[in-house]
């Protein structure tokens, strides 16, 4: 069975500092990996995905994520955080062999202070 | 990309009643899913809505409680039956298609409160 772990409930960073939101996954086959963001009272928005190719994936709003197969991780990063990045971030995985529905992590609240 | 219209956006319901949530997509999609997001928690997949056949439910979810219809490739409904306060949650419709390059699109959700 596939699963996703986001070990941190909350990440706090100061504006202008780099940020990392951690994600590890478990699938039986090859994974499709995603990051979504949810702002208060709004739906989920797609940030970026990894399917194949370059392990470093660049996405929306300056975010990027690095796929590490040996560590089964897909951490979300941004070189310089903005206050407007404060939101709830979800990592998600889809097992290519098992099906096409996404399984989500529990979410990590990112709080960027000015 | 896909534009998903989900109705109602929110509702307050009495215990024991049922609510049907509609999901309309502006283009034909291969896959449609229903998720639940309970307060302060992550998204949990309820079921995959299959066009022209019975939905595929995840562990812990049953058809009698969450009947789903999908009469065509652009529309689906989820009914929350015989509601209790534990059903208070946000319900999200999601779609995927090869044309969308494997990513899922989400509706804005239905916030349900059961008294």
């Amino acid at each position: 069975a596939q699963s996703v772990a986001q070990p941190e409930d909350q990440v706090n960073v100061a504006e202008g500092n780099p940020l990392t939101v951690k994600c590890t996954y478990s699938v039986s086959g090859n994974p499709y990996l995603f990051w979504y963001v949810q702002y208060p009272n709004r739906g989920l928005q797609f940030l970026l995905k990894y399917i194949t190719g370059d392990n470093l994936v660049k996405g929306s709003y300056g975010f990027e994520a690095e796929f590490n197969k040996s560590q089964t991780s897909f951490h979300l990063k941004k070189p310089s955080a903005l206050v407007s990045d404060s939101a709830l971030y979800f990592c998600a995985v889809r097992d290519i062999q098992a099906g096409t529905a996404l399984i989500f992590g529990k979410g990590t609240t990112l709080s960027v202070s000015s | 990309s896909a534009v998903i219209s989900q109705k109602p956006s929110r509702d307050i319901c009495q215990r024991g009643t049922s609510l049907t949530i509609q999901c309309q997509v502006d283009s034909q999609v291969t896959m449609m899913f229903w998720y639940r997001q309970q307060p302060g928690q992550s998204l949990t997949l309820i079921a995959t809505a299959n066009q022209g056949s019975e939905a595929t439910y995840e562990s812990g979810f049953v058809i009698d409680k969450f009947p789903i219809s999908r009469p065509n490739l652009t529309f689906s409904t989820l009914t929350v039956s015989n509601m209790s306060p534990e059903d208070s949650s946000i319900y999200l419709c999601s779609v995927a298609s090869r044309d969308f390059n494997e990513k899922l699109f989400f509706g804005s959700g239905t916030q349900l409160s059961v008294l």
Side-chain angles (χ1 to χ4, degrees):
Chain A
Q2 57 196 57
S3 65
V4 179
Q6 292 180 245
E8 303 154 317
D9 290 335
Q10 180 149 345
V11 170
N12 299 309
V13 297
E15 188 173 31
N17 284 356
L19 69 88
T20 299
V21 182
K22 296 179 180 177
C23 171
T24 59
Y25 66 90
S26 174
V27 299
S28 56
N30 292 319
Y32 286 2
L33 293 157
F34 302 80
W35 277 100
Y36 284 81
V37 60
Q38 187 175 39
Y39 297 99
N41 301 316
R42 293 171 63 179
L44 281 162
Q45 295 180 35
F46 169 81
L47 274 181
L48 52 80
K49 65 176 166 62
Y50 170 84
I51 295 179
T52 187
D54 194 346
N55 289 344
L56 184 62
V57 179
K58 294 187 183 297
S60 307
Y61 312 121
F63 283 93
E64 58 188 29
E66 185 167 13
F67 171 63
N68 188 317
K69 188 173 183 178
S70 62
Q71 297 184 6
T72 62
S73 67
F74 190 58
H75 301 332
L76 181 69
K77 300 181 180 183
K78 187 173 182 180
S80 178
L82 299 173
V83 172
S84 58
D85 293 330
S86 299
L88 182 58
Y89 291 80
F90 290 100
C91 182
V93 65
R94 179 187 305 155
D95 186 325
I96 299 171
Q97 281 76 32
T100 57
L102 282 184
I103 302 301
F104 285 82
K106 64 177 182 174
T108 298
T109 299
L110 173 65
S111 178
V112 182
S113 57
S114 57
Chain B
S1 64
V3 177
I4 304 170
S5 173
Q6 194 173 329
K7 296 179 181 179
S9 59
R10 60 178 62 235
D11 207 343
I12 301 173
C13 300
Q14 296 297 320
R15 182 195 300 260
T17 63
S18 298
L19 175 71
T20 295
I21 303 168
Q22 298 182 357
C23 177
Q24 178 75 55
V25 192
D26 67 343
S27 58
Q28 293 186 345
V29 293
T30 310
M31 309 290 289
M32 295 182 78
F33 307 96
W34 287 97
Y35 285 85
R36 180 174 73 182
Q37 185 177 19
Q38 294 181 300
Q41 297 189 27
S42 184
L43 284 78
T44 302
L45 180 64
I46 298 172
T48 301
N50 300 310
Q51 192 260 331
S53 64
E54 191 173 289
T56 304
Y57 290 85
E58 297 299 307
S59 175
F61 298 96
V62 295
I63 188 171
D64 290 345
K65 176 66 175 177
F66 297 101
I68 288 171
S69 77
R70 189 177 174 194
N72 56 52
L73 293 177
T74 64
F75 185 77
S76 177
T77 67
L78 168 74
T79 298
V80 186
S81 303
N82 188 24
M83 287 184 285
S84 67
E86 291 72 33
D87 294 320
S88 297
S89 186
I90 298 174
Y91 293 85
L92 293 152
C93 171
S94 175
V95 304
S97 168
R98 290 183 182 274
D99 296 334
F100 303 147
N101 198 18
E102 302 295 346
K103 67 184 179 184
L104 291 189
F105 294 87
F106 286 85
S108 55
T110 296
Q111 185 162 353
L112 171 62
S113 297
V114 184
L115 304 179

